[in-house]
């Protein structure tokens, strides 16, 4: 058993070195597949990040009537906060609204407006709630809650209607991007799969005479298969190492472009790959080894029938 | 050792390589198989190591009926037979040493045994100096001798050889035949296809002649006549 194991490893290593150019070509193709998959993963992450950025900017503002009592407003705030869909509620009192208004216009040196405000005796602004949900498609739940008859006396009618349209659009767009993404992902995975399978098939094809000879000299199928399968595992391990060594310097080049994509809200591409290193590359390695083992196993089949 | 009963091999409806061949070879015999090109000699040998299956008839080797041998069992059969293929069939990515060693490795022999036996056998065929070369770095005759070394290194009970002296000069051919004779003396049954009239006549062994897929003559101490 131990003898066979060392033989399998020796044969695999010998095959690998003595077919150096073939191994190199095979590894390059697999490494390129890895590289494109990782760039694709990055693109996915950037799209997700973009959606999240848009989602964060979306909120619903509930304007209260001037007559609304503070305790009623607080009660609505608390009930909204208790909803599982809601991620945050900010209460802006009349006073706070006024200060914000002043601040804004002072900053813009719009003294005309602030002056006219000062002439008013009462505060003309309404108190409001700014409601955010975890994701855009959760807004309908919030709106449904607000549309209940019990609040008509305190909430300004149509105060949030203009927003619902936009939220709806964003929500639909997000859904479309997600669906499209799944289709593109499957398509892409399929292409990578076919490329790798065919590459392995060719490397096995070039050995078909050797496989036949080994059979005629009395080798069992497994005695022939195992070194070739182990060799294909070498391909995976080396290819993923190369793809990582190429990918990380590339990320440094990509980072400035990613920054420009989202103003303010930067996406750390290097951090994304470093923090998810084991998940991203571990699964890729496992998947690739499984694919290579399966491919070489299938590709060998017919040549073993001697 | 070998029993062929009513063996026919039809490759395609229009190509009948063997027609109702009956042949029996006793253990320890040394048999030459002669005949013109295309007579079916290689086909007969291929049936013995299950490289081809007979269309009709029955084959028994060493008491084992291999007529309908299962694919998984061919390895066991082939490890007990030494074969010198007409086209050598050396592994191009393995050295001379490794090619010969391979026949022992498939049998699961330990390395220390391989490391002592393989150089001995290579010395017998005169290639101990070229152990580390690859087949492409050898002449045709040298490749043939590697093939012979591989066929006999695991001391098979039956050795079949398809024109093992084909590419060799007279002197080397003679030395190969000497080796084969020696192996036969140690008890290995030999079935050798050859075109070499001198060798057949010199050894005075049994000669089976194939003609158009049938055995046309079978002489105990035969002469080469075609
Ligand atoms: N694999 C094959 N497929 C079809 N015909 C074959 C095959 N092998 C041999 N033949 C035919 O069978 C006949 C016998 O061939 P072979 O046994 O090689 O003869 P020999 O070795 O005596 O020269 C020839 O006509 C040859 O063309
Ligand atoms: Mg022939």
């Amino acid at each position: 058993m131990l003898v066979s194991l060392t033989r399998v490893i020796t044969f695999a290593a010998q095959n690998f070195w003595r077919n150096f150019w073939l191994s190199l070509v095979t590894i390059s193709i697999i490494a390129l597949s890895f590289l494109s998959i990782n760039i694709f993963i990055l693109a996915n992450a950037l799209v997700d990040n973009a959606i999240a950025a848009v989602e964060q900017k979306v909120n619903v503002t509930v304007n209260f009537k001037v007559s609304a009592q503070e305790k009623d407003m607080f009660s609505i705030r608390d009930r909204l906060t208790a909803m599982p869909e809601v991620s945050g509620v900010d209460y802006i009192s009349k006073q706070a609204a006024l200060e914000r208004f002043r601040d804004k216009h002072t900053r813009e040196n719009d003294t005309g407006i602030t002056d006219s405000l000062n002439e008013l005796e009462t505060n003309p602004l309404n108190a409001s709630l700014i409601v955010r949900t975890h994701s855009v498609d959760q807004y309908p739940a919030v709106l449904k809650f607000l549309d209940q008859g019990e609040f008509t006396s305190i909430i300004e009618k149509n105060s949030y209607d203009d927003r619902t349209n936009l939220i709806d659009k964003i929500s639909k767009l997000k859904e479309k991007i997600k669906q499209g993404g799944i289709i593109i992902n499957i398509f892409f995975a399929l292409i990578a799969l076919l490329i790798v399978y065919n590459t392995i098939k060719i490397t096995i094809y070039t050995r078909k005479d050797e496989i036949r000879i080994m059979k005629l000299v009395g080798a069992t199928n497994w005695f022939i298969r195992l070194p070739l399968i182990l060799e294909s595992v070498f391909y995976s391990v080396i290819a993923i190492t190369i793809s990582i060594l190429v990918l990380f310097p590339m990320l440094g080049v990509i980072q400035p472009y990613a920054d420009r994509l989202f103003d303010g809200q930067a996406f750390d591409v290097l951090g994304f790959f470093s923090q998810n290193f084991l998940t991203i590359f571990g699964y890729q390695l496992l998947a690739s080894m499984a694919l290579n083992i399966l491919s070489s196993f299938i590709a060998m089949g017919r040549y073993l029938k001697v | 050792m070998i029993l062929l009963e009513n063996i026919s091999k039809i490759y395609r409806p229009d190509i009948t390589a063997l027609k109702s061949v009956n042949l029996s070879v006793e253990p320890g015999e040394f048999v030459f198989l002669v005949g013109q090109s295309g007579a079916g000699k290689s086909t007969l040998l291929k049936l013995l190591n299950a490289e081809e299956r007979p269309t009709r008839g029955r084959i028994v080797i060493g008491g084992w009926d291999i007529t309908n041998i299962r694919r998984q069992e061919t390895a066991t059969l082939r490890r007990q037979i030494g074969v010198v293929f007409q086209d050598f069939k050396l592994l191009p990515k393995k050295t001379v040493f490794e090619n010969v060693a391979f026949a022992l490795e498939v049998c699961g022999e330990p390395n220390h045994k391989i490391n002592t036996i393989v150089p001995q056998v290579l010395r017998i065929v005169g290639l101990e100096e070229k152990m580390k070369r690859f087949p492409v770095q050898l002449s045709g005759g040298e490749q043939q001798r590697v093939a012979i070394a591989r066929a006999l290194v695991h001391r098979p009970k039956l050795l079949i050889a398809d024109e093992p002296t084909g590419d060799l000069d007279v002197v080397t051919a003679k030395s190969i035949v000497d080796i084969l004779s020696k192996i036969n003396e140690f008890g290995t049954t030999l079935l050798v296809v050859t075109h070499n009239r001198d060798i057949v006549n010199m050894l005075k062994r049994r000669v089976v002649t194939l003609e158009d897929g049938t055995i046309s003559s079978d002489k105990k101490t035969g002469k080469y006549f075609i």
Side-chain angles (χ1 to χ4, degrees), chain B residues 11-12 15 17 36-44 46 52 86:
Chain B
Y11 283 112
R12 291 203 317 245
I15 304 177
Q36 276 174 344
S37 175
K41 307 182 293 294
S42 297
T43 300
L44 198 151
K46 282 176 185 168
E52 295 285 354
Q86 195 165 8

Side-chain angles (χ1 to χ4, degrees), chain B residues 53-54 57 59 65-71 73:
Chain B
R53 303 300 164 90
I59 306 179
D65 188 331
I66 63 153
T67 315
N68 295 308
I69 188 172
R70 303 214 320 274
R71 272 224 185 85
E73 295 173 327

Side-chain angles (χ1 to χ4, degrees), chain B residues 31-225:
Chain B
V31 182
F32 282 119
L33 188 60
V34 301
Q36 276 174 344
S37 175
K41 307 182 293 294
S42 297
T43 300
L44 198 151
L45 296 194
K46 282 176 185 168
L47 293 173
L48 298 179
N49 74 336
E51 196 179 335
E52 295 285 354
R53 303 300 164 90
T55 312
R56 270 192 294 279
R58 198 165 81 99
I59 306 179
V60 182
I61 293 183
W64 182 4
D65 188 331
I66 63 153
T67 315
N68 295 308
I69 188 172
R70 303 214 320 274
R71 272 224 185 85
Q72 303 96 289
E73 295 173 327
T74 54
T76 314
L77 172 72
R78 288 167 186 163
R79 285 178 205 167
Q80 291 169 42
I81 305 176
V83 184
V84 183
F85 299 95
Q86 195 165 8
D87 54 355
F88 319 144
K89 295 206 193 305
L90 299 179
L91 292 162
K93 297 289 179 181
K94 285 190 188 289
T95 63
V96 167
F97 179 93
E98 288 161 359
N99 262 285
V100 177
F102 192 78
L104 292 170
E105 284 163 347
V106 298
C107 299
E109 298 291 358
N111 283 337
H112 64 86
K113 192 173 168 191
I114 292 173
N115 290 335
T116 48
I117 294 179
V118 174
Q120 280 171 14
V121 174
L122 283 173
R123 192 169 314 125
I124 293 172
V125 296
L127 283 173
E128 78 264 53
E129 304 291 326
K130 296 178 176 172
M131 286 200 306
K132 293 204 168 69
R133 292 212 194 169
F134 287 92
V136 284
Q137 299 165 325
L138 299 177
S139 72
E142 286 168 335
Q143 289 182 25
Q144 193 154 36
R145 282 185 276 155
V146 179
I148 291 165
R150 182 181 62 186
L152 52 84
V153 71
H154 57 303
R155 299 179 184 278
K157 293 191 198 74
L158 171 65
L159 194 144
I160 58 184
D162 205 342
E163 309 199 17
T165 56
D167 269 16
L168 304 181
D169 58 87
V170 186
V171 180
T172 326
K174 178 71 175 61
S175 74
I176 291 300
V177 171
D178 287 344
I179 295 166
L180 294 180
S181 301
K182 186 134 288 145
I183 292 168
N184 179 240
E185 276 168 32
F186 285 125
T188 297
T189 313
L190 253 76
L191 183 57
V192 180
V193 170
T194 186
H195 280 123
N196 194 318
R197 177 186 302 262
D198 296 336
I199 286 172
V200 175
N201 292 344
M202 187 177 62
L203 264 82
K204 299 191 170 52
R205 302 293 185 129
R206 180 176 168 194
V207 178
V208 174
T209 310
L210 265 181
E211 223 172 292
D212 243 350
T214 50
I215 292 177
S216 63
S217 94
D218 186 348
K219 297 264 160 58
K220 264 276 165 284
T221 53
K223 287 215 166 187
Y224 194 105
F225 62 95

Side-chain angles (χ1 to χ4, degrees), chain A residues 3 6-7 11 14-15 18-19 209-220 223-224 304-306, chain B residues 51 71 75 78-79 85 89-94 98 102-103 105-106 108-111 114 134 150:
Chain A
V3 174
T6 52
R7 253 165 221 170
F11 285 176
Q14 268 178 6
N15 275 345
R18 291 180 185 172
N19 295 286
D209 292 336
E210 285 167 70
I211 292 173
R212 200 182 141 76
I213 293 172
M214 291 191 241
K215 279 289 295 207
L216 287 176
V217 179
T220 57
F223 195 82
I224 298 170
L304 288 169
K305 287 180 185 151
V306 179
Chain B
E51 196 179 335
R71 272 224 185 85
R78 288 167 186 163
R79 285 178 205 167
F85 299 95
K89 295 206 193 305
L90 299 179
L91 292 162
K93 297 289 179 181
K94 285 190 188 289
E98 288 161 359
F102 192 78
E105 284 163 347
V106 298
E109 298 291 358
N111 283 337
I114 292 173
F134 287 92
R150 182 181 62 186

